[in-house]
Amino acid sequence: MSNTAAKGIADHRPLADRHAIVTGGSRGIGLAIAETLARLGANVTIMGRSQSTLNERAAELSERLGAKVRGERLDVTDPELIAAAFRSAGERFGAPAILVNNAGIARAAPFAKTDLTLWQDVLSTDLTGAFLCIRQVVKGMTDGGFGRVVNVASTAGLSGYPYIAAYCAAKHGLIGLTRALAQEFAKTPITVNAVCPGYTNTDIVGDALDNIAAKTGRDRTAALADLVSHNPQGRLIEPFEVAEAVAWLCLPASASVTGQSILVAGGELM
Ligand code: NDP
């Protein structure tokens, strides 16, 4: 037990030499998660759809942090690209010990305008993508004696919101997947948790504000005030705040935390 305790939050590099994969690691919350895990000593593979963007971000993090960060292209809706990306990442840094399913899209529309294409795009990216990525890592984590799966869900995984039925369904599904796997893997070295941010200061929120402005004619400042009014702290969450919660779940000392959905939302839900 004393060895495990030494790998807690006070340890400078508690994730030293562990391989962490972060999907959607090219920007926003995923990039902040990649940086935080790299600071804790992990060798990090960031994954997304643009190899050139990933290469730039990985080079910048590697140089600034003196860490090993690499980019691997995948589309989480494509099982073959997922298999190829995980194979290549595993050849470079070894079997992944940490998987952060962060890649996601948000599409807003009234239910009457939520067509099957929108529904399937959101479900296949935000839910099925996580399922497919988790399938890639379970055996390696079990054999390696250590595994952390963290799913980046949302407040929309725990409560309903209007005009985002597909997103709410996908994120509720992601929390269901988290809970089921936490139960199923409880006797293995793998923990499975979710982190649920409120509105966070990234491109997703920027795009949502543009969308509201275009569809309603309201100005962006008023639309932003509306969004942050959900949060009792009256502000957007910053990506690093989500990243710190994810990193804590990945620590060796967090081994007994599993099946949880940790809100990082300024008290929006309790
Ligand atoms: P961004 O739009 O800033 O980043 C999304 C990331 O996901 C990018 O790296 C993007 O890379 C990647 N991505 C999107 N689609 C795919 C795909 N099909 N295959 C692989 N990668 C993909 O979003 P955020 O950082 O804001 O969001 C990250 C996660 O946090 C999402 O799951 C989102 O639902 C969740 N979240 C965000 C909130 C917010 O307010 N921002 C609030 C609650 C949850 P690329 O485009 O290069 O492929």
Side-chain angles (χ1 to χ4, degrees):
M1 190 62 202
S2 58
N3 279 348
T4 309
K7 292 276 179 197
I9 216 144
D11 190 310
H12 186 50
R13 288 164 56 80
L15 302 180
D17 300 325
R18 296 199 192 275
H19 181 192
I21 290 182
V22 182
T23 68
S26 62
R27 60 176 186 269
I29 292 171
L31 185 59
I33 293 169
E35 170 159 355
T36 306
L37 296 179
R39 281 185 193 283
L40 295 176
N43 300 330
V44 182
T45 305
I46 52 176
M47 296 185 173
R49 289 168 297 182
S50 162
Q51 187 68 56
S52 57
T53 307
L54 293 167
N55 289 348
E56 278 173 33
R57 298 294 171 275
E60 194 274 324
L61 284 183
S62 299
E63 194 179 310
R64 185 156 52 81
L65 305 176
K68 290 185 191 156
V69 183
R70 296 288 183 277
E72 203 66 64
R73 191 177 88 80
L74 95 175
D75 184 322
V76 296
T77 66
D78 183 328
E80 282 178 17
L81 288 179
I82 292 173
F86 277 71
R87 194 178 318 115
S88 173
E91 283 165 9
R92 183 182 298 113
F93 287 146
I98 294 167
L99 168 65
V100 183
N101 286 305
N102 165 80
I105 55 171
R107 298 265 184 279
F111 185 66
K113 292 191 175 164
T114 299
D115 60 18
L116 187 59
T117 304
L118 185 155
W119 178 266
Q120 285 175 336
D121 282 351
V122 174
L123 268 287
S124 62
T125 307
D126 294 7
L127 179 56
T128 310
F131 159 73
L132 292 170
C133 290
I134 294 168
R135 286 188 354 153
Q136 295 290 324
V137 299
V138 172
K139 183 169 187 315
M141 288 179 176
T142 307
D143 292 349
F146 182 92
R148 298 284 182 267
V149 176
V150 183
N151 297 318
V152 179
S154 166
T155 47
L158 293 167
S159 180
Y161 294 85
Y163 309 121
I164 50 169
Y167 188 72
C168 273
K171 295 298 188 179
H172 273 70
L174 190 55
I175 288 177
L177 177 66
T178 302
R179 291 173 175 163
L181 294 184
Q183 289 279 1
E184 189 166 332
F185 298 162
K187 295 275 182 356
T188 78
I190 306 172
T191 66
V192 188
N193 290 286
V195 166
C196 301
Y199 285 113
T200 305
N201 193 7
T202 71
D203 290 351
I204 277 192
V205 164
D207 294 346
L209 294 175
D210 291 342
N211 193 27
I212 293 168
K215 287 192 175 144
T216 66
R218 303 183 59 209
D219 80 42
R220 267 175 130 263
T221 313
L224 176 60
D226 242 20
L227 287 192
V228 300
S229 71
H230 291 275
N231 175 338
Q233 294 181 341
R235 66 178 180 91
L236 293 175
I237 308 299
E238 291 301 325
F240 81 86
E241 298 179 283
V242 182
E244 291 287 334
V246 171
W248 173 70
L249 289 167
C250 294
L251 293 176
S254 299
S256 63
V257 183
T258 193
Q260 302 306 302
S261 306
I262 312 279
L263 279 152
V264 184
E268 178 175 340
L269 301 175
M270 293 184 183

